[in-house]
Amino acid sequence: MKDKILLVVDMLYDFIDGSMACEGAEDAVSETLAYIRKEKPFPILFIRDHHPEAHCSFAAQGGPWPPHCVQGTHGADIHEALAPYAEPEWTFFKGEDPAREQYSGFEGRSEAGQSLSEVLHLLEAEEVYVAGIATEYCVRNTAEDLLKDGFRVSVLSGCLAWVDRKGHEEALQAMAEEGIRIL
Ligand code: VGL
Ligand code: ZN
């Protein structure tokens, strides 16, 4: 049987206990770790929000968010429980252009310059399991792009955290209607 491919979206300190701490984040990390130990997915791909200091999404530049996931800071790091699973060839950085908001992991690039779509096609992926933060933003945008790119998408609802609970529930509902499996 083919291995399960897991995509872990933005499980970074600023979204867990930092400037944009999301509701449910600690549980999302421990549930993701439990999923990894139980299901042994392979490979595990990671998305990392990775902003320059004066990014357009920050309030000082007129954006909606406090500064977060600034390149080179602790807040931009993957949670230490998950970091050992992150391989450079399967880690995609997004939000590096100071002038563009990028919620979808599809806009990210690995160190070697590959996109998530490129790597998933090379892996001959059919289905992708998704865990991450925040449900309403990066998780939803990434899951929708996966679906548009032809993959079956299963979102692990126990492995999510959110900015706003109502927004989280609405996003789950919308994804389900679009054909994304909510597990
Ligand atoms: C995200 C807000 C700002 C996300 C990233 O990854 O969901 N949300 N930057
Ligand atoms: Zn961001």
Side-chain angles (χ1 to χ4, degrees):
M1 204 186 82
K2 237 179 140 157
D3 285 306
K4 289 186 169 179
I5 296 177
L6 176 65
L7 179 62
V8 179
V9 174
D10 285 0
M11 290 206 166
L12 312 172
Y13 281 109
D14 271 340
F15 293 123
I16 297 164
D17 61 7
S19 62
M20 283 190 63
C22 287
E23 201 183 330
E26 297 285 358
D27 288 343
V29 170
S30 46
E31 287 296 313
T32 301
L33 194 61
Y35 181 86
I36 290 170
R37 289 182 175 150
K38 179 161 182 278
E39 301 289 338
K40 310 210 173 350
F42 182 84
I44 305 174
L45 293 81
F46 284 81
I47 303 295
R48 290 181 60 174
D49 209 32
H50 203 236
H51 297 308
E53 232 166 87
H55 191 257
C56 66
S57 75
F58 298 169
Q61 279 65 242
W65 308 114
H68 63 276
C69 302
V70 173
Q71 294 167 18
T73 66
H74 171 73
D77 288 342
I78 297 172
H79 189 284
E80 64 178 0
L82 300 170
Y85 298 98
E87 301 286 349
E89 70 201 286
W90 291 320
T91 300
F92 303 86
F93 296 89
K94 65 178 174 67
E96 293 188 324
D97 181 341
R100 292 206 303 137
E101 180 58 284
Q102 296 182 320
Y103 288 136
S104 171
F106 268 60
E107 301 188 76
R109 293 270 163 188
S110 70
E111 247 172 43
Q114 285 183 305
S115 70
L116 177 61
S117 170
E118 231 174 300
V119 169
L120 286 171
H121 285 290
L122 286 169
L123 288 166
E124 299 181 353
E126 290 167 8
E127 172 152 34
V128 182
Y129 291 78
V130 182
I133 309 173
T135 314
E136 315 98 291
Y137 299 98
C138 195
V139 171
R140 179 175 178 180
N141 280 275
T142 304
E144 289 176 348
D145 280 348
L146 285 166
L147 195 68
K148 280 185 212 147
D149 205 20
F151 303 105
R152 277 199 307 282
V153 189
S154 295
V155 169
L156 304 170
S157 59
C159 302
L160 302 176
W162 47 90
V163 173
D164 172 76
R165 177 178 285 279
K166 192 157 170 282
H168 161 79
E169 280 160 11
E170 285 168 1
L172 287 179
Q173 180 69 35
M175 287 191 280
E177 282 165 16
E178 290 159 4
I180 292 165
R181 204 153 62 116
I182 311 294
L183 296 182

